[in-house]
């Protein structure tokens, strides 16, 4: 679940080849919620991609069934095919919520995450869960400090000091911090993000009028222009020299004759 919105399920199909498990693509999988044979509990049908992975979000038609239990169960079925045997798998999890907040304590920037699970209508904190606190970057996530993860206490809270100085942000200097729980047995995978003004706005230097390799022709570097014009002049000098020699040879031939 991302930002405590619509949950989704991820399916992965693998075949055992020798001692290793290898991903198997193009496997159709049928997924149910809370009941593995009721047509009204059908979440949908997916086909795994080239990496053997497929994902499916919770449809709106099953919103009422989703609310029935605090610990729903998912059922996945595959029929026997040329590359994959018939298989059945089920997975139970607790509904949960991951909240993210920030604080400034005596000039120290703090990122806080709180993790809860639902028991009927009550929110119960979960202790002892490793939460990653990070900054979302283009290539992935950058941890906010020295620690790889932070463990929730008895109140379900995990916090860490943000010590990434002068980190480039967007045009306004905003960064997107995130709290992540990775593949936990009880709550699955969770991610929550929020923007904070802790970055540095990028400084874009306008060097359009300066000489550079990517400038217009009249703004090319001097050394490049000298090299290019020198090559052109050298080629034309050779051509003129050859033409002159041909003319000279013709004159000599006439005089001999």
């Amino acid at each position: 679940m991302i930002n405590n919105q619509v949950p989704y399920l991820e399916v992965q199909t693998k075949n055992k080849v020798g001692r290793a498990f290898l991903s198997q693509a193009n496997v159709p999988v049928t997924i149910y919620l809370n009941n593995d044979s009721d047509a009204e509990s059908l979440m949908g049908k997916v086909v795994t991609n080239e990496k053997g992975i497929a994902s499916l979000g919770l449809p709106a038609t099953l919103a009422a069934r989703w609310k029935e239990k605090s610990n729903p169960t998912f059922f996945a079925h595959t029929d026997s095919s040329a590359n994959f045997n018939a298989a059945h798998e089920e997975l139970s999890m607790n509904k949960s919520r991951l909240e993210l907040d920030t604080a400034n304590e005596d000039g120290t920037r703090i990122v806080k995450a709180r993790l809860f699970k639902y028991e009927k209508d009550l929110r119960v904190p979960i202790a002892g869960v490793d939460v990653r606190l990070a900054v979302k970057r283009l290539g992935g996530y950058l941890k906010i400090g020295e620690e790889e993860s932070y463990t929730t206490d008895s109140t379900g809270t995990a916090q860490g000091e943000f010590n990434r100085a002068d980190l480039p942000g967007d045009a306004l200097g905003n960064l997107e911090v995130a709290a992540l729980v990775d593949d936990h047995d009880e709550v699955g995978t969770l991610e929550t993000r929020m923007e904070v003004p802790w970055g540095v706005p990028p400084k874009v230097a306008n060097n359009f009028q300066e000489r550079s390799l990517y400038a217009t022709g009249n703004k090319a570097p001097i050394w490049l222009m000298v090299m290019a014009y020198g090559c052109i002049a050298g080629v034309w000098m050779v051509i003129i020299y050859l033409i002159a020699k041909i003319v000279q040879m013709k004159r000599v031939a006439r005089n001999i004759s």
Side-chain angles (χ1 to χ4, degrees):
M1 184 181 296
I2 298 177
N3 289 334
N4 299 306
Q5 297 177 354
V6 178
Y8 70 92
L9 194 69
E10 186 174 270
V11 180
Q12 188 170 24
T13 50
K14 293 183 178 181
N15 274 327
K16 188 175 183 180
V17 180
R19 296 183 178 181
F21 284 91
L22 303 180
S23 299
Q24 179 60 53
N26 302 318
V27 177
V29 184
T30 305
I31 303 173
Y32 295 88
L33 173 64
N34 291 335
N35 191 318
D36 64 345
S37 59
D38 185 2
E40 295 182 354
S41 300
L42 177 65
M43 283 186 61
K45 299 180 179 181
V46 294
V47 178
T48 56
N49 60 16
E50 65 278 0
K51 296 182 180 180
I53 298 175
S55 59
L56 178 66
L58 182 71
T61 54
L62 293 180
R65 287 181 178 265
W66 172 257
K67 296 178 181 178
E68 288 176 356
K69 297 182 178 181
S70 299
N71 54 341
T73 302
F74 299 95
F75 299 89
H77 296 272
T78 62
D79 296 327
S80 180
S81 59
N83 298 319
F84 203 81
N85 294 330
H88 168 80
E89 186 70 26
E90 64 180 77
L91 174 69
S92 296
M93 49 82 66
N94 285 97
K95 292 181 183 178
S96 57
R97 183 178 180 85
L98 180 61
E99 298 178 347
L100 186 61
D101 199 3
T102 60
N104 194 320
E105 299 178 0
D106 298 327
T108 302
R109 295 168 175 173
I110 302 295
V111 179
K112 296 182 178 181
R114 297 191 69 189
L115 179 62
F116 303 92
K117 66 179 178 180
Y118 288 95
E119 293 183 357
K120 295 183 179 180
D121 295 331
L122 300 177
R123 296 202 311 177
V124 179
I126 308 177
V129 177
D130 291 335
V131 180
R132 286 194 295 138
L133 301 177
V135 183
K136 184 171 176 56
R137 309 303 289 170
L138 186 61
Y141 292 91
L142 177 67
K143 57 186 180 181
I144 64 170
E146 299 300 326
E147 302 293 334
E148 292 291 338
S149 63
Y150 303 83
T151 304
T152 57
D153 58 19
S154 59
T155 64
T157 302
Q159 67 178 42
E161 179 182 345
F162 184 94
N163 58 12
R164 294 290 179 180
D166 301 327
L167 198 63
D170 60 13
L172 300 177
N174 292 322
L175 296 173
E176 193 171 23
V177 296
L180 306 101
V181 176
D182 298 317
D183 197 19
H184 188 265
D185 293 338
E186 190 173 0
V187 298
T189 298
L190 303 172
E191 178 179 347
T192 302
R193 310 173 194 159
M194 68 177 296
E195 283 192 349
V196 294
W198 293 349
V200 178
K203 295 180 180 180
V204 180
N206 185 1
N207 55 0
F208 182 76
Q209 298 299 328
E210 298 179 3
R211 294 188 178 274
S212 61
L213 290 174
Y214 48 83
T216 56
N218 61 339
K219 293 295 182 181
I222 298 296
W223 62 267
L224 183 60
M225 297 176 66
V226 171
M227 183 182 297
Y229 291 141
C231 292
I232 295 173
V235 171
W236 277 107
M237 289 176 65
V238 172
I239 293 174
I240 294 171
Y241 174 77
L242 293 175
I243 293 174
K245 285 299 182 181
I246 292 173
V247 172
Q248 185 180 4
M249 291 171 63
K250 287 183 176 181
R251 289 178 180 175
V252 171
R254 290 195 193 102
N255 293 333
I256 294 174
S257 61

